[in-house]
Amino acid sequence: MALTLSSTLPLLHTSQLIPRLGFGVYQSPPSTCVTSCLHALSHGYRHIDTAQFYRNEAAVGEAIRKSGLKRENVFITTKILAPAGTIEKTYEKCLESVHKIDPDNEEQGNKGYVDLFLIHSASRGEQTRRMMWGALERLVAEGRARTIGVSNYGVKHLEEMKEYAARWPPQVNQIEQREVVSYCQTKGIVVQAYSPIVRGQKAHDPTALAISKKLGKTVAQVLIRYCLQKGWVPLPKSDTPSRIEENAGVYGWELGEKEMEELDGLDEGRGGAIVQAV
């Protein structure tokens, strides 16, 4: 089936579907974030990726409410970077994020929720990873998160989870480096690709430029399309309206086998990573 802007992937052990293309809001100040999210939503994006660390969760929630779209028609991801000392306090910290994004509506009897809640990083030690996962599992149990997952987890972190996780495997691993991809795919873990356009660092790469000129597309479009054809969920970020639109123009054409192989060759492993995380 041909990929479209409405294409989704199933999330393991649930009936939830994640849109194949997301919209990132890292380093987007709140007022700008509202405007950018509204523009993205008006041009067909239905998946927004935020985090506690980004300090714009409330702005994402505001944009959804202003968009006129039904809450259930927009997939929202957020993340927790650090625990709060206990599972209970960490759960409360996560619940604060939910309330910022999707406040409870007592009149209608609706409890706010997020579609996906991630642990932002594996870098703070096994006990903190265990504590945060326990909090996320409670969010799911109480209907405050539809699905849960991790970000920047290596294979050793994912295997370690078997020792303490009631829910395993995580439904998503949001990563930049490819060395974990094959493991995730064999376990049914959806791979989200942050920084799919490498924050512009490949804009002048000769291989990417040659492919973009051949196809009449931008380098960013080529790299996003590459992620989609790999089966990943790319999360391009921009606050420029024209680029927000451009980054969604990755359908109705495809990369051939030769182009995919050439782009495979650009992988620099850990040395090319923007975030040295896993």
Side-chain angles (χ1 to χ4, degrees):
M1 183 180 295
L3 288 170
T4 69
L5 191 50
S6 59
S7 293
T8 59
L9 287 174
L11 291 171
L12 200 63
H13 304 314
T14 75
S15 60
Q16 304 300 310
L17 299 172
I18 184 169
R20 291 289 310 274
L21 180 67
F23 180 67
V25 295
Y26 176 56
Q27 291 186 328
S28 185
S31 60
T32 303
C33 182
V34 172
T35 301
S36 296
C37 287
L38 282 169
H39 195 75
L41 292 169
S42 72
H43 284 82
Y45 290 83
R46 291 296 181 266
H47 175 185
I48 300 175
D49 180 88
T50 183
Q52 292 177 353
F53 180 70
Y54 301 169
R55 299 182 183 275
N56 55 20
E57 291 171 310
V60 169
E62 180 182 344
I64 295 168
R65 292 188 293 277
K66 286 183 173 180
S67 72
L69 295 167
K70 293 182 178 179
R71 171 65 187 88
E72 60 267 27
N73 292 336
V74 184
F75 190 101
I76 305 299
T77 299
T78 194
K79 315 174 198 72
I80 179 172
L81 182 61
T86 66
I87 289 179
E88 174 65 28
K89 290 181 179 179
T90 303
Y91 164 80
E92 292 172 358
K93 182 178 180 181
C94 292
L95 197 56
E96 289 176 8
S97 291
V98 175
H99 290 322
K100 289 177 182 178
I101 293 167
D102 187 20
D104 292 350
N105 189 324
E106 295 182 2
E107 291 183 3
Q108 297 181 9
N110 294 335
K111 292 198 307 182
Y113 69 94
V114 296
D115 298 276
L116 175 63
F117 215 123
L118 305 178
I119 295 174
H120 206 150
S121 172
S123 64
R124 293 174 181 261
E126 189 269 341
Q127 288 302 314
T128 61
R129 293 191 289 271
R130 181 190 294 261
M131 189 182 302
M132 288 189 284
W133 191 251
L136 295 193
E137 288 182 331
R138 182 175 168 189
L139 280 182
V140 172
E142 298 192 3
R144 296 300 196 165
R146 297 287 171 85
T147 56
I148 54 178
V150 296
S151 178
N152 297 309
Y153 270 44
V155 173
K156 66 179 181 181
H157 305 119
L158 294 165
E159 283 290 312
E160 169 196 271
M161 292 179 72
K162 293 178 181 179
E163 301 173 8
Y164 58 80
R167 293 175 176 271
W168 194 92
Q171 282 140 335
V172 166
N173 190 10
Q174 187 179 121
I175 52 178
E176 178 189 8
Q177 298 172 32
R178 290 179 48 181
E179 60 196 52
V180 194
V181 169
S182 60
Y183 173 92
C184 289
Q185 292 177 330
T186 61
K187 303 298 182 184
I189 302 170
V190 169
V191 173
Q192 286 187 323
Y194 68 83
S195 299
I197 56 178
V198 208
R199 298 182 194 167
Q201 292 181 16
K202 294 293 185 183
H204 302 290
D205 179 88
T207 299
L209 271 173
I211 294 172
S212 71
K213 289 179 180 178
K214 175 183 176 183
L215 298 175
K217 304 297 178 182
T218 67
V219 170
Q221 288 173 324
V222 166
L223 296 177
I224 295 166
R225 180 71 197 192
Y226 171 78
C227 290
L228 289 169
Q229 289 185 214
K230 280 290 186 180
W232 309 334
V233 177
L235 304 167
K237 184 267 177 182
S238 180
D239 286 319
T240 304
S242 61
R243 288 181 182 167
I244 293 172
E245 297 170 34
E246 175 187 290
N247 289 344
V250 290
Y251 303 99
W253 58 279
E254 63 181 27
L255 296 163
E257 184 176 344
K258 182 174 183 292
E259 287 86 13
M260 291 295 289
E261 289 177 355
E262 290 174 346
L263 292 169
D264 282 340
L266 298 183
D267 181 30
E268 299 176 24
R270 287 178 179 267
I274 289 175
V275 178
Q276 295 295 335
V278 300

